[in-house]
Short mmCIF file of all heavy atoms in Angstrom, two decimals:
data_model
loop_
_atom_site.label_atom_id
_atom_site.label_comp_id
_atom_site.label_asym_id
_atom_site.label_seq_id
_atom_site.Cartn_x
_atom_site.Cartn_y
_atom_site.Cartn_z
N GLU A 54 117.85 17.76 131.75
CA GLU A 54 117.45 19.14 131.95
C GLU A 54 117.91 20.05 130.82
O GLU A 54 117.17 20.87 130.29
CB GLU A 54 118.02 19.65 133.28
CG GLU A 54 116.97 20.29 134.17
CD GLU A 54 117.55 20.62 135.52
OE1 GLU A 54 118.13 21.70 135.63
OE2 GLU A 54 117.45 19.79 136.42
N SER A 55 119.17 19.84 130.43
CA SER A 55 119.71 20.68 129.35
C SER A 55 118.96 20.47 128.05
O SER A 55 118.65 21.42 127.33
CB SER A 55 121.20 20.35 129.16
OG SER A 55 121.72 21.09 128.08
N ASN A 56 118.61 19.21 127.74
CA ASN A 56 117.86 18.90 126.51
C ASN A 56 116.47 19.52 126.53
O ASN A 56 115.95 19.99 125.52
CB ASN A 56 117.75 17.39 126.31
CG ASN A 56 119.11 16.76 126.02
OD1 ASN A 56 120.01 17.46 125.56
ND2 ASN A 56 119.24 15.47 126.32
N ASP A 57 115.84 19.51 127.71
CA ASP A 57 114.49 20.09 127.84
C ASP A 57 114.52 21.59 127.54
O ASP A 57 113.64 22.12 126.85
CB ASP A 57 113.94 19.86 129.26
CG ASP A 57 113.54 18.41 129.47
OD1 ASP A 57 113.43 17.69 128.45
OD2 ASP A 57 113.31 18.02 130.62
N VAL A 58 115.49 22.27 128.07
CA VAL A 58 115.58 23.71 127.84
C VAL A 58 115.76 24.02 126.37
O VAL A 58 115.11 24.91 125.81
CB VAL A 58 116.76 24.30 128.66
CG1 VAL A 58 117.00 25.76 128.28
CG2 VAL A 58 116.47 24.18 130.16
N GLU A 59 116.64 23.26 125.71
CA GLU A 59 116.85 23.47 124.27
C GLU A 59 115.58 23.19 123.48
O GLU A 59 115.24 23.89 122.52
CB GLU A 59 117.98 22.57 123.79
CG GLU A 59 119.34 22.95 124.36
CD GLU A 59 120.44 22.02 123.90
OE1 GLU A 59 120.13 21.09 123.13
OE2 GLU A 59 121.60 22.21 124.30
N GLN A 60 114.86 22.13 123.89
CA GLN A 60 113.63 21.76 123.18
C GLN A 60 112.58 22.85 123.33
O GLN A 60 111.89 23.22 122.38
CB GLN A 60 113.10 20.43 123.72
CG GLN A 60 111.84 19.95 122.97
CD GLN A 60 111.38 18.61 123.49
OE1 GLN A 60 111.98 18.04 124.40
NE2 GLN A 60 110.32 18.11 122.91
N ARG A 61 112.46 23.40 124.53
CA ARG A 61 111.51 24.47 124.77
C ARG A 61 111.85 25.71 123.94
O ARG A 61 110.98 26.38 123.39
CB ARG A 61 111.47 24.83 126.25
CG ARG A 61 110.83 23.77 127.11
CD ARG A 61 110.82 24.22 128.55
NE ARG A 61 110.47 23.14 129.44
CZ ARG A 61 110.44 23.25 130.77
NH1 ARG A 61 110.77 24.39 131.32
NH2 ARG A 61 110.10 22.22 131.52
N LEU A 62 113.13 26.03 123.86
CA LEU A 62 113.55 27.18 123.06
C LEU A 62 113.19 26.99 121.59
O LEU A 62 112.76 27.92 120.91
CB LEU A 62 115.06 27.41 123.22
CG LEU A 62 115.51 27.96 124.58
CD1 LEU A 62 117.03 28.00 124.66
CD2 LEU A 62 114.92 29.35 124.80
N ARG A 63 113.39 25.75 121.09
CA ARG A 63 113.04 25.47 119.70
C ARG A 63 111.54 25.61 119.48
O ARG A 63 111.08 26.14 118.45
CB ARG A 63 113.51 24.06 119.32
CG ARG A 63 115.01 23.95 119.10
CD ARG A 63 115.37 22.67 118.37
NE ARG A 63 114.97 21.49 119.12
CZ ARG A 63 115.77 20.87 120.00
NH1 ARG A 63 117.00 21.33 120.23
NH2 ARG A 63 115.34 19.80 120.64
N ILE A 64 110.71 25.17 120.44
CA ILE A 64 109.25 25.26 120.32
C ILE A 64 108.81 26.73 120.30
O ILE A 64 107.98 27.15 119.49
CB ILE A 64 108.56 24.49 121.47
CG1 ILE A 64 108.81 22.99 121.31
CG2 ILE A 64 107.06 24.81 121.50
CD1 ILE A 64 108.30 22.16 122.48
N LEU A 65 109.38 27.52 121.22
CA LEU A 65 109.03 28.94 121.27
C LEU A 65 109.42 29.66 119.98
O LEU A 65 108.70 30.52 119.48
CB LEU A 65 109.71 29.61 122.47
CG LEU A 65 109.16 29.20 123.85
CD1 LEU A 65 110.03 29.81 124.95
CD2 LEU A 65 107.71 29.66 124.00
N GLU A 66 110.59 29.32 119.45
CA GLU A 66 111.05 29.95 118.20
C GLU A 66 110.11 29.59 117.05
O GLU A 66 109.77 30.44 116.21
CB GLU A 66 112.47 29.48 117.89
CG GLU A 66 113.07 30.07 116.62
CD GLU A 66 113.27 31.57 116.71
OE1 GLU A 66 113.33 32.11 117.83
OE2 GLU A 66 113.38 32.22 115.65
N ARG A 67 109.68 28.33 117.00
CA ARG A 67 108.77 27.91 115.93
C ARG A 67 107.41 28.59 116.05
O ARG A 67 106.80 29.00 115.05
CB ARG A 67 108.59 26.39 115.97
CG ARG A 67 107.65 25.84 114.88
CD ARG A 67 108.09 26.29 113.52
NE ARG A 67 107.14 25.88 112.50
CZ ARG A 67 107.06 26.44 111.29
NH1 ARG A 67 107.89 27.44 110.96
NH2 ARG A 67 106.17 26.02 110.42
N LYS A 68 106.92 28.75 117.30
CA LYS A 68 105.66 29.45 117.50
C LYS A 68 105.75 30.89 117.02
O LYS A 68 104.82 31.43 116.44
CB LYS A 68 105.27 29.42 118.98
CG LYS A 68 104.76 28.07 119.45
CD LYS A 68 104.34 28.13 120.91
CE LYS A 68 103.75 26.80 121.37
NZ LYS A 68 103.32 26.85 122.78
N ARG A 69 106.90 31.53 117.28
CA ARG A 69 107.08 32.90 116.82
C ARG A 69 107.06 32.98 115.29
O ARG A 69 106.46 33.88 114.70
CB ARG A 69 108.40 33.46 117.35
CG ARG A 69 108.61 34.94 117.07
CD ARG A 69 110.00 35.37 117.47
NE ARG A 69 110.99 34.73 116.61
CZ ARG A 69 111.29 35.16 115.38
NH1 ARG A 69 110.67 36.21 114.88
NH2 ARG A 69 112.21 34.54 114.67
N GLU A 70 107.69 32.01 114.62
CA GLU A 70 107.71 31.98 113.15
C GLU A 70 106.30 31.78 112.60
O GLU A 70 105.88 32.44 111.65
CB GLU A 70 108.63 30.87 112.66
CG GLU A 70 110.10 31.13 112.97
CD GLU A 70 110.97 29.95 112.59
OE1 GLU A 70 110.41 28.91 112.15
OE2 GLU A 70 112.20 30.06 112.72
N VAL A 71 105.55 30.84 113.20
CA VAL A 71 104.17 30.58 112.73
C VAL A 71 103.31 31.80 112.94
O VAL A 71 102.50 32.17 112.09
CB VAL A 71 103.58 29.36 113.47
CG1 VAL A 71 102.10 29.21 113.17
CG2 VAL A 71 104.33 28.10 113.08
N SER A 72 103.48 32.48 114.10
CA SER A 72 102.70 33.68 114.38
C SER A 72 102.95 34.76 113.34
O SER A 72 102.03 35.47 112.92
CB SER A 72 103.04 34.20 115.77
OG SER A 72 102.36 35.40 116.03
N SER A 73 104.20 34.90 112.90
CA SER A 73 104.51 35.92 111.88
C SER A 73 103.97 35.54 110.52
O SER A 73 103.74 36.39 109.67
CB SER A 73 106.02 36.13 111.81
OG SER A 73 106.66 34.95 111.34
N GLU A 74 103.75 34.25 110.28
CA GLU A 74 103.24 33.79 108.98
C GLU A 74 101.72 33.89 108.89
O GLU A 74 101.16 34.04 107.81
CB GLU A 74 103.65 32.34 108.73
CG GLU A 74 105.14 32.16 108.52
CD GLU A 74 105.54 30.70 108.46
OE1 GLU A 74 104.65 29.84 108.67
OE2 GLU A 74 106.72 30.42 108.23
N GLU A 75 100.99 33.86 109.99
CA GLU A 75 99.53 33.80 109.98
C GLU A 75 98.86 34.97 109.27
O GLU A 75 97.95 34.76 108.48
CB GLU A 75 99.01 33.67 111.42
CG GLU A 75 99.16 32.28 111.97
CD GLU A 75 98.65 32.18 113.40
OE1 GLU A 75 98.33 33.24 113.97
OE2 GLU A 75 98.57 31.06 113.91
N PRO A 76 99.26 36.24 109.48
CA PRO A 76 98.61 37.34 108.78
C PRO A 76 98.69 37.21 107.27
O PRO A 76 97.78 37.58 106.56
CB PRO A 76 99.37 38.57 109.28
CG PRO A 76 99.94 38.17 110.59
CD PRO A 76 100.26 36.72 110.45
N VAL A 77 99.83 36.69 106.76
CA VAL A 77 99.96 36.52 105.31
C VAL A 77 98.96 35.50 104.80
O VAL A 77 98.29 35.69 103.80
CB VAL A 77 101.41 36.09 104.95
CG1 VAL A 77 101.54 35.84 103.47
CG2 VAL A 77 102.39 37.16 105.41
N VAL A 78 98.83 34.40 105.54
CA VAL A 78 97.89 33.37 105.12
C VAL A 78 96.47 33.90 105.15
O VAL A 78 95.69 33.72 104.22
CB VAL A 78 98.03 32.13 106.04
CG1 VAL A 78 96.95 31.11 105.73
CG2 VAL A 78 99.41 31.53 105.88
N LYS A 79 96.12 34.62 106.24
CA LYS A 79 94.77 35.17 106.34
C LYS A 79 94.52 36.20 105.25
O LYS A 79 93.44 36.27 104.68
CB LYS A 79 94.58 35.80 107.72
CG LYS A 79 94.50 34.79 108.84
CD LYS A 79 94.28 35.47 110.17
CE LYS A 79 94.19 34.46 111.30
NZ LYS A 79 93.98 35.10 112.61
N GLY A 80 95.52 37.02 104.94
CA GLY A 80 95.35 38.04 103.92
C GLY A 80 95.06 37.46 102.55
O GLY A 80 94.36 38.04 101.74
N ASN A 81 95.60 36.26 102.28
CA ASN A 81 95.41 35.66 100.96
C ASN A 81 94.19 34.77 100.89
O ASN A 81 93.64 34.54 99.82
CB ASN A 81 96.65 34.85 100.58
CG ASN A 81 97.84 35.76 100.31
OD1 ASN A 81 97.67 36.90 99.94
ND2 ASN A 81 99.05 35.24 100.53
N GLU A 82 93.77 34.20 102.04
CA GLU A 82 92.76 33.17 101.98
C GLU A 82 91.46 33.52 102.70
O GLU A 82 90.41 33.02 102.33
CB GLU A 82 93.33 31.87 102.59
CG GLU A 82 94.55 31.34 101.83
CD GLU A 82 95.11 30.09 102.49
OE1 GLU A 82 94.53 29.68 103.53
OE2 GLU A 82 96.08 29.53 101.98
N ALA A 83 91.51 34.36 103.69
CA ALA A 83 90.33 34.59 104.53
C ALA A 83 89.25 35.35 103.76
O ALA A 83 89.54 36.23 102.95
CB ALA A 83 90.71 35.35 105.78
N ALA A 84 87.99 35.03 104.00
CA ALA A 84 86.85 35.74 103.43
C ALA A 84 85.98 36.25 104.56
O ALA A 84 85.95 35.66 105.64
CB ALA A 84 86.05 34.83 102.52
N PHE A 85 85.29 37.37 104.30
CA PHE A 85 84.49 37.99 105.34
C PHE A 85 83.04 38.09 104.89
O PHE A 85 82.76 38.39 103.73
CB PHE A 85 85.03 39.40 105.65
CG PHE A 85 86.42 39.40 106.22
CD1 PHE A 85 87.51 39.51 105.38
CD2 PHE A 85 86.62 39.29 107.58
CE1 PHE A 85 88.80 39.52 105.90
CE2 PHE A 85 87.90 39.30 108.10
CZ PHE A 85 89.00 39.41 107.26
N LEU A 86 82.13 37.85 105.81
CA LEU A 86 80.71 38.05 105.58
C LEU A 86 80.32 39.36 106.23
O LEU A 86 80.71 39.65 107.37
CB LEU A 86 79.91 36.90 106.17
CG LEU A 86 80.19 35.51 105.61
CD1 LEU A 86 79.36 34.46 106.34
CD2 LEU A 86 79.90 35.45 104.13
N LYS A 87 79.53 40.16 105.53
CA LYS A 87 79.17 41.48 106.03
C LYS A 87 77.72 41.76 105.71
O LYS A 87 77.25 41.48 104.60
CB LYS A 87 80.07 42.54 105.36
CG LYS A 87 79.84 43.96 105.84
CD LYS A 87 80.78 44.91 105.10
CE LYS A 87 80.57 46.35 105.52
NZ LYS A 87 81.45 47.28 104.77
N ALA A 88 76.99 42.30 106.66
CA ALA A 88 75.60 42.67 106.47
C ALA A 88 75.38 44.04 107.08
O ALA A 88 75.61 44.24 108.28
CB ALA A 88 74.66 41.65 107.11
N ASP A 89 74.96 45.02 106.26
CA ASP A 89 74.70 46.35 106.75
C ASP A 89 73.69 47.03 105.85
O ASP A 89 73.02 46.37 105.05
CB ASP A 89 76.00 47.16 106.86
CG ASP A 89 76.74 47.28 105.53
OD1 ASP A 89 76.12 47.05 104.48
OD2 ASP A 89 77.94 47.58 105.55
N LYS A 90 73.60 48.36 105.95
CA LYS A 90 72.61 49.10 105.17
C LYS A 90 72.81 48.98 103.67
O LYS A 90 71.89 49.23 102.89
CB LYS A 90 72.66 50.58 105.55
CG LYS A 90 74.00 51.24 105.31
CD LYS A 90 74.01 52.68 105.74
CE LYS A 90 75.38 53.32 105.56
NZ LYS A 90 75.84 53.29 104.18
N ASP A 91 74.00 48.59 103.23
CA ASP A 91 74.29 48.45 101.81
C ASP A 91 74.02 47.06 101.27
O ASP A 91 74.31 46.78 100.11
CB ASP A 91 75.76 48.83 101.54
CG ASP A 91 76.04 50.29 101.88
OD1 ASP A 91 75.17 51.13 101.59
OD2 ASP A 91 77.10 50.57 102.44
N GLY A 92 73.50 46.17 102.11
CA GLY A 92 73.16 44.83 101.66
C GLY A 92 74.03 43.78 102.31
O GLY A 92 74.68 44.01 103.34
N PHE A 93 74.04 42.61 101.70
CA PHE A 93 74.81 41.48 102.21
C PHE A 93 76.01 41.29 101.29
O PHE A 93 75.88 41.27 100.07
CB PHE A 93 73.94 40.23 102.24
CG PHE A 93 72.71 40.39 103.10
CD1 PHE A 93 71.52 40.83 102.55
CD2 PHE A 93 72.76 40.12 104.46
CE1 PHE A 93 70.38 41.00 103.32
CE2 PHE A 93 71.62 40.29 105.25
CZ PHE A 93 70.44 40.72 104.68
N GLN A 94 77.19 41.10 101.91
CA GLN A 94 78.41 41.03 101.14
C GLN A 94 79.27 39.86 101.57
O GLN A 94 79.31 39.49 102.74
CB GLN A 94 79.23 42.32 101.29
CG GLN A 94 78.55 43.57 100.83
CD GLN A 94 79.45 44.79 100.97
OE1 GLN A 94 80.66 44.70 100.78
NE2 GLN A 94 78.86 45.93 101.29
N ILE A 95 79.94 39.30 100.58
CA ILE A 95 81.02 38.35 100.82
C ILE A 95 82.24 38.94 100.14
O ILE A 95 82.20 39.27 98.95
CB ILE A 95 80.71 36.96 100.22
CG1 ILE A 95 79.38 36.43 100.75
CG2 ILE A 95 81.84 35.98 100.50
CD1 ILE A 95 78.93 35.15 100.09
N GLN A 96 83.33 39.10 100.90
CA GLN A 96 84.50 39.73 100.31
C GLN A 96 85.78 39.13 100.86
O GLN A 96 85.83 38.63 101.98
CB GLN A 96 84.50 41.23 100.55
CG GLN A 96 84.70 41.64 101.99
CD GLN A 96 84.75 43.16 102.17
OE1 GLN A 96 84.15 43.89 101.41
NE2 GLN A 96 85.46 43.61 103.18
N SER A 97 86.80 39.13 100.02
CA SER A 97 88.11 38.67 100.45
C SER A 97 88.74 39.73 101.34
O SER A 97 88.33 40.89 101.33
CB SER A 97 89.00 38.40 99.24
OG SER A 97 89.18 39.58 98.48
N ALA A 98 89.76 39.34 102.10
CA ALA A 98 90.38 40.26 103.04
C ALA A 98 91.00 41.45 102.34
O ALA A 98 91.01 42.55 102.86
CB ALA A 98 91.42 39.53 103.88
N ASP A 99 91.52 41.24 101.12
CA ASP A 99 92.13 42.35 100.39
C ASP A 99 91.12 43.12 99.54
O ASP A 99 91.50 44.05 98.81
CB ASP A 99 93.26 41.84 99.49
CG ASP A 99 92.79 40.76 98.52
OD1 ASP A 99 91.56 40.55 98.39
OD2 ASP A 99 93.65 40.12 97.88
N LYS A 100 89.83 42.73 99.60
CA LYS A 100 88.72 43.41 98.92
C LYS A 100 88.83 43.36 97.39
O LYS A 100 88.14 44.09 96.69
CB LYS A 100 88.60 44.86 99.37
CG LYS A 100 88.31 45.01 100.85
CD LYS A 100 88.13 46.47 101.25
CE LYS A 100 87.84 46.59 102.74
NZ LYS A 100 87.66 48.00 103.16
N ASN A 101 89.66 42.48 96.88
CA ASN A 101 89.76 42.32 95.42
C ASN A 101 88.63 41.48 94.86
O ASN A 101 88.36 41.53 93.65
CB ASN A 101 91.10 41.70 95.05
CG ASN A 101 92.24 42.69 95.13
OD1 ASN A 101 92.04 43.89 94.95
ND2 ASN A 101 93.44 42.22 95.42
N PHE A 102 87.97 40.71 95.71
CA PHE A 102 86.84 39.89 95.30
C PHE A 102 85.67 40.17 96.23
O PHE A 102 85.76 39.96 97.44
CB PHE A 102 87.21 38.40 95.33
CG PHE A 102 88.29 38.03 94.36
CD1 PHE A 102 89.63 38.17 94.71
CD2 PHE A 102 87.97 37.57 93.09
CE1 PHE A 102 90.63 37.84 93.81
CE2 PHE A 102 88.95 37.24 92.19
CZ PHE A 102 90.29 37.38 92.54
N VAL A 103 84.58 40.68 95.66
CA VAL A 103 83.43 41.08 96.46
C VAL A 103 82.15 40.63 95.75
O VAL A 103 82.03 40.78 94.53
CB VAL A 103 83.38 42.61 96.66
CG1 VAL A 103 82.17 43.01 97.49
CG2 VAL A 103 84.65 43.11 97.32
N LEU A 104 81.22 40.10 96.48
CA LEU A 104 79.89 39.78 95.97
C LEU A 104 78.86 40.47 96.86
O LEU A 104 78.83 40.25 98.07
CB LEU A 104 79.63 38.28 95.96
CG LEU A 104 78.22 37.85 95.51
CD1 LEU A 104 77.97 38.25 94.06
CD2 LEU A 104 78.02 36.35 95.70
N LYS A 105 78.02 41.33 96.26
CA LYS A 105 76.99 42.05 96.99
C LYS A 105 75.62 41.52 96.56
O LYS A 105 75.34 41.41 95.37
CB LYS A 105 77.06 43.55 96.71
CG LYS A 105 78.33 44.21 97.18
CD LYS A 105 78.30 45.71 96.88
CE LYS A 105 79.57 46.39 97.33
NZ LYS A 105 79.53 47.86 97.03
N ILE A 106 74.78 41.25 97.54
CA ILE A 106 73.40 40.83 97.29
C ILE A 106 72.50 41.97 97.74
O ILE A 106 72.43 42.29 98.93
CB ILE A 106 73.07 39.53 98.04
CG1 ILE A 106 74.04 38.42 97.63
CG2 ILE A 106 71.62 39.11 97.76
CD1 ILE A 106 73.89 37.16 98.43
N ARG A 107 71.82 42.60 96.78
CA ARG A 107 71.01 43.77 97.07
C ARG A 107 69.60 43.57 96.52
O ARG A 107 69.32 42.60 95.81
CB ARG A 107 71.63 45.02 96.47
CG ARG A 107 73.06 45.31 96.93
CD ARG A 107 73.59 46.60 96.34
NE ARG A 107 72.72 47.71 96.66
CZ ARG A 107 72.18 48.54 95.76
NH1 ARG A 107 72.42 48.37 94.47
NH2 ARG A 107 71.40 49.53 96.14
N ALA A 108 68.72 44.53 96.83
CA ALA A 108 67.35 44.45 96.32
C ALA A 108 66.72 45.84 96.35
O ALA A 108 67.10 46.69 97.16
CB ALA A 108 66.51 43.47 97.15
N LEU A 109 65.76 46.04 95.45
CA LEU A 109 64.96 47.26 95.41
C LEU A 109 63.50 46.86 95.29
O LEU A 109 63.12 46.12 94.38
CB LEU A 109 65.35 48.13 94.22
CG LEU A 109 64.44 49.33 93.93
CD1 LEU A 109 64.47 50.32 95.09
CD2 LEU A 109 64.83 50.02 92.63
N LEU A 110 62.68 47.32 96.23
CA LEU A 110 61.25 47.04 96.22
C LEU A 110 60.49 48.34 96.37
O LEU A 110 60.73 49.09 97.32
CB LEU A 110 60.88 46.07 97.34
CG LEU A 110 59.38 45.76 97.51
CD1 LEU A 110 58.84 45.06 96.26
CD2 LEU A 110 59.13 44.92 98.75
N GLN A 111 59.58 48.62 95.44
CA GLN A 111 58.73 49.81 95.49
C GLN A 111 57.28 49.39 95.35
O GLN A 111 56.88 48.84 94.33
CB GLN A 111 59.11 50.79 94.37
CG GLN A 111 60.51 51.37 94.53
CD GLN A 111 60.91 52.26 93.38
OE1 GLN A 111 60.34 52.21 92.31
NE2 GLN A 111 61.93 53.10 93.60
N SER A 112 56.52 49.65 96.40
CA SER A 112 55.10 49.31 96.43
C SER A 112 54.29 50.60 96.38
O SER A 112 54.41 51.44 97.28
CB SER A 112 54.78 48.51 97.70
OG SER A 112 53.42 48.16 97.75
N ASP A 113 53.48 50.77 95.34
CA ASP A 113 52.80 52.04 95.07
C ASP A 113 51.29 51.94 95.23
O ASP A 113 50.70 50.86 95.13
CB ASP A 113 53.06 52.49 93.63
CG ASP A 113 54.48 52.97 93.42
OD1 ASP A 113 55.33 52.72 94.29
OD2 ASP A 113 54.75 53.57 92.35
N SER A 114 50.72 53.11 95.45
CA SER A 114 49.27 53.29 95.25
C SER A 114 49.13 54.46 94.28
O SER A 114 49.88 55.43 94.35
CB SER A 114 48.56 53.60 96.57
OG SER A 114 48.98 54.83 97.11
N ARG A 115 48.18 54.34 93.37
CA ARG A 115 47.98 55.35 92.32
C ARG A 115 46.49 55.65 92.22
O ARG A 115 45.71 54.80 91.78
CB ARG A 115 48.54 54.83 91.01
CG ARG A 115 48.67 55.87 89.90
CD ARG A 115 49.21 55.21 88.63
NE ARG A 115 50.57 54.72 88.81
CZ ARG A 115 51.13 53.81 88.02
NH1 ARG A 115 50.43 53.27 87.03
NH2 ARG A 115 52.38 53.42 88.23
#
Side-chain angles (χ1 to χ4, degrees):
E54 231 173 86
S55 177
N56 293 337
D57 286 345
V58 171
E59 292 178 1
Q60 183 177 1
R61 289 181 192 177
L62 288 174
R63 285 196 299 269
I64 292 173
L65 290 173
E66 181 66 20
R67 180 54 186 161
K68 286 182 177 181
R69 187 187 67 79
E70 293 174 356
V71 171
S72 176
S73 65
E74 292 172 356
E75 283 179 352
V77 177
V78 174
K79 289 182 180 179
N81 291 334
E82 298 178 0
F85 296 91
L86 299 177
K87 183 180 179 182
D89 58 19
K90 60 182 177 60
D91 297 320
F93 301 91
Q94 299 182 35
I95 304 173
Q96 68 178 29
S97 61
D99 56 12
K100 298 183 181 180
N101 283 332
F102 296 86
V103 180
L104 177 64
K105 296 181 181 180
I106 302 173
R107 302 183 57 234
L109 170 64
L110 175 64
Q111 295 177 341
S112 180
D113 289 13
S114 65
R115 192 181 295 161

